[in-house]
Amino acid sequence: MSLDGVFIGEPKLIMVGGKGGVGKTTCASAIAYEAAKRRKRVLVISSDPTPSLSDIFEIDIGSSEKRIAEDVELFGLEISSDIIIKMWKERFGPEIYEVISSFAKVEYDFVDYIGTAPGIEEEYMLHFILELVEASRYDIVVWDTAPAGHTLKLLKLPQLFLKHMEAATRFYMNLYSYFEKIKDAVRLKESKRSLLEIIASWEKLAEKIVSFIRDPAKTRYVIVTIPEALGVALTERIIKEFEENGLFVNYIVVNNVIKEADCEFHRRRKNMQEGYISALRKKYPLCDIVELPLFPEEVKGLKRIDKIRGELFTYGD
């Protein structure tokens, strides 16, 4: 079994998620490298609170798009929470302030308050990625997502997105009847139209993002786990919540699998792992489940990433 199917149909976004510490970044890096080897222009992004792309590729990547390999078009980007919020404020701040200042005298700093709402980072990351895709700057974006708890917030879109945006317009919602009584009908009509158009644009954007992440032709999901109780339990939870929200996982990578047991300790661990892997295969017969062996060395540098790539994909070079 391999992950070759993930590229069928030429998707635009490959999301790699799972429990923290299971090897998401390693797998995301190998998937991105494979895509680049297939002559695609690829960007691998990490939004993990503690990004490790730089460590794995052994190159200082940081918050600016940087080329990772010379033989292929592979680029990397690590985006911190501060940068995401900053970009979000630049995009939505003026509109939010325009709405609020129509009803109350507030300082522009109020936008900072709205920016603290849970889920804003994930929402804006999808907006940012969608812009990259639509601009055709990259053929494929591979997203090394934050740990599962953060990623699951994405499933609340567009409801969560609109909730955050409309938090800034609660004065409008609460005072709507009051404005109907304003004598200046012309100003009333213009204010209502302007504000409703802004809110409608937010809703349209939210729906566009949701359509993008729910389109199996454009977005693929790869869940990385380990053959242990907590890892498998969280994987089942992620897949269930995805399915409940119209998203479907077709690819699972089981990392750190012991292939050869040369002592009693490893034999017992191997038996335990086989039980969890068998359970996953039985529960998700339609998923491509790839076992990634436990390696004795750290995965750092393109040479070792290439080795992981060889385990995940079948290729002829």
Side-chain angles (χ1 to χ4, degrees), residues 9-187:
E10 299 188 350
K12 298 300 182 181
L13 171 64
I14 299 175
M15 286 178 56
V16 183
K19 179 178 175 293
V22 297
K24 289 187 298 84
T25 304
T26 298
C27 290
S29 300
I31 292 170
Y33 195 28
E34 170 68 12
K37 286 283 190 179
R38 296 187 182 211
R39 295 183 174 83
K40 303 296 183 182
R41 183 178 172 87
V42 184
L43 176 68
V44 55
I45 297 180
S46 177
S47 62
D48 195 297
T50 56
S52 54
L53 277 180
S54 294
D55 297 324
I56 287 179
F57 282 106
E58 294 186 317
I59 183 174
D60 186 15
I61 295 176
S63 59
S64 297
E65 296 168 36
K66 186 167 185 176
R67 188 158 191 162
I68 294 174
E70 294 301 324
D71 61 325
V72 292
E73 291 193 279
L74 177 59
F75 300 79
L77 179 63
E78 293 177 329
I79 301 185
S80 68
S81 298
D82 291 341
I83 293 175
I84 294 173
I85 295 300
K86 179 176 181 292
M87 292 191 297
W88 178 85
K89 289 177 184 176
E90 290 173 352
R91 167 60 179 83
F92 294 105
E95 290 182 349
I96 290 175
Y97 181 72
E98 180 182 349
V99 172
I100 298 175
S101 61
S102 298
F103 307 109
K105 185 177 181 179
V106 295
E107 298 295 328
Y108 194 83
D109 290 348
F110 187 80
V111 173
D112 294 336
Y113 169 73
I114 300 298
T116 62
I120 287 293
E121 294 176 36
E122 291 82 2
E123 292 162 7
Y124 189 79
M125 274 300 300
L126 281 173
H127 175 267
F128 175 66
I129 290 172
L130 183 58
E131 286 189 325
L132 287 174
V133 169
E134 291 186 332
S136 299
R137 293 174 60 187
Y138 296 96
D139 298 314
I140 297 178
V141 175
V142 179
W143 183 11
D144 171 30
T145 67
H150 298 274
T151 305
L152 289 176
K153 294 174 185 175
L154 296 172
L155 304 181
K156 305 305 178 184
L157 288 169
Q159 296 84 359
L160 185 60
F161 185 96
L162 292 177
K163 182 179 179 181
H164 292 158
M165 296 296 100
E166 290 175 359
T169 65
R170 59 184 179 279
F171 295 109
Y172 171 76
M173 300 304 177
N174 293 335
L175 299 178
Y176 180 79
S177 60
Y178 168 77
F179 274 91
E180 287 184 319
K181 300 175 183 178
I182 295 179
K183 295 181 181 180
D184 190 346
V186 175
R187 186 168 69 85

